[in-house]
Amino acid sequence: MPVCWNALFELKSCTNEIILFFFNGESYLGKDCCRAIRTITYNCWPSMLSSVGFTAEEVDILRGYCGTPSPESAVEFNV
């Protein structure tokens, strides 16, 4: 779970990038920002981005832009 919390903190630090991405037509998100988006949406809390104010459409756009996580970056959970 620490990976999820770290991704959430990283997401907070790239909020300005995301705002520029949507509102100013900026077509670039940094690799750390995309890594956080991928980690949160694919490995942690898929609805987390929606719960912090992004619409479902915006979440889909971010996921599409950042791509799918590589197999070596997958988070492994032991239950």
Side-chain angles (χ1 to χ4, degrees):
M1 248 357 201
V3 172
C4 295
W5 287 112
N6 289 341
L8 185 60
F9 288 122
E10 181 63 41
L11 182 68
K12 182 179 177 187
S13 71
C14 70
T15 302
N16 288 340
E17 282 181 61
I18 295 171
I19 290 170
L20 290 173
F21 180 81
F22 284 115
F23 292 112
N24 292 339
E26 183 72 34
S27 61
Y28 176 77
L29 290 175
K31 68 177 185 162
D32 292 334
C33 189
C34 273
R35 184 181 311 119
I37 290 167
R38 285 191 306 266
T39 299
I40 289 169
T41 60
Y42 289 101
N43 299 320
C44 300
W45 307 288
S47 64
M48 186 65 186
L49 293 178
S50 296
S51 69
V52 295
F54 294 103
T55 67
E57 182 180 7
E58 289 169 336
V59 172
D60 287 344
I61 291 169
L62 291 170
R63 285 178 79 169
Y65 178 84
C66 290
T68 57
S70 60
E72 62 271 5
S73 69
V75 177
E76 188 174 311
F77 290 104
N78 295 322
V79 181

